[in-house]
Amino acid sequence: MHIADILFDFDHTLGYDNKLEESVLRELAQRYCAAVPDDDTIHAVLHRFRTDHATLPAAIQTGLEAWGCGSSHLDEAVSYYKARVLELASTWVVPTPHACETVAALHERKIPIGILSNGWTELQHRKADIIGFPGPTLASEEIGAWKPDAAAFEIAAARFGMDPAATLYVGDTPDVDVVGAKAAGMLAAWADLDGKPYPRNIISPDVCVTSLAQLLDYLPRP
């Protein structure tokens, strides 16, 4: 297995945001709406943006309307949401164990690296900056393609000048990260950082790691 480049997912792979967006959306509901939704309902609104190709304003506004937010406040509420999330990110986002050391080692070995992450552009770039990621970042929103669509991986490889056949994509979600990377002709590494079983009937990854530091074992020694 020849690995020349490495692409990373961000959330639950390189970093944790500790449910930052869920917290701010709940705060938004308390501020603007007649009813405060439960955790599952809040997650469903964000999931619609993250996986169903809805725009962030459309997903947020649909939720707020359902919770009793008046139409006159919708634009203001979405602006507040984005500004508040970005404001809090530096104190909520933290790297996963060994992420910074592994990325630094890859950078030192001159292995080209990058991030391809589902999410909205400003936030995903901000998260990468917070953990000091030295490579380029692409968010699904800015390229108009969402994992597991193979097009998202293909766009990232082209933008970063990476050969898909020699690129290892590292992510924590098998049906999004592994499936999408393999469909794009990449190698796939499952980052099993939380000790979860691998789902049945999903294509197997080429690599499975329980610590990002283990990625270095698959690369030539410096």
Side-chain angles (χ1 to χ4, degrees):
M1 181 171 59
H2 172 62
I3 300 170
D5 315 293
I6 297 183
L7 271 176
F8 290 94
D9 170 48
F10 186 88
D11 295 295
H12 296 271
T13 299
L14 286 176
Y16 297 119
D17 69 5
N18 294 295
K19 298 187 176 181
L20 167 61
E21 291 189 85
E22 286 84 349
S23 176
V24 172
L25 189 51
R26 183 179 297 104
E27 179 183 329
L28 205 64
Q30 292 170 338
R31 178 168 179 162
Y32 290 102
C33 301
V36 178
D38 60 23
D39 291 348
D40 289 343
T41 304
I42 287 173
H43 177 77
V45 168
L46 294 172
H47 186 73
R48 180 169 177 254
F49 165 67
R50 293 167 181 165
T51 62
D52 293 347
H53 298 203
T55 65
L56 182 64
I60 298 296
Q61 289 182 359
T62 297
L64 293 177
E65 286 177 329
W67 306 331
C69 177
S71 58
S72 61
H73 293 299
L74 289 177
D75 289 340
E76 175 188 344
V78 172
S79 295
Y80 176 86
Y81 171 83
K82 295 185 75 170
R84 183 66 170 157
V85 168
L86 293 173
E87 175 191 355
L88 294 174
S90 61
T91 55
W92 284 63
V93 175
V94 295
T96 57
H98 309 295
C100 294
E101 300 93 327
T102 302
V103 166
L106 293 170
H107 189 59
E108 184 177 343
R109 294 190 192 187
K110 302 188 185 306
I111 303 294
I113 57 176
I115 290 174
L116 169 65
S117 183
N118 281 355
W120 48 286
T121 306
E122 297 92 336
L123 179 58
Q124 298 310 103
H125 283 263
R126 179 78 178 110
K127 289 177 178 179
D129 290 342
I130 287 169
I131 70 165
F133 188 79
T137 298
L138 278 179
S140 52
E141 182 186 57
E142 68 187 296
I143 61 175
W146 300 73
K147 302 181 301 177
D149 187 345
F153 298 84
E154 293 163 355
I155 291 169
R159 294 272 187 98
F160 298 159
M162 296 177 174
D163 174 11
T167 298
L168 180 68
Y169 188 83
V170 184
D172 70 297
T173 309
D175 60 351
V176 174
D177 299 320
V178 174
V179 168
K182 297 295 286 183
M186 292 182 178
L187 300 166
W190 180 40
D192 179 23
L193 307 186
D194 298 322
K196 297 178 180 178
Y198 197 82
R200 297 180 179 181
N201 303 320
I202 289 181
I203 190 170
S204 298
D206 300 281
V207 172
C208 176
V209 297
T210 56
S211 166
L212 293 183
Q214 294 169 358
L215 293 172
L216 302 175
D217 296 337
Y218 295 91
L219 298 169
R221 293 292 177 183

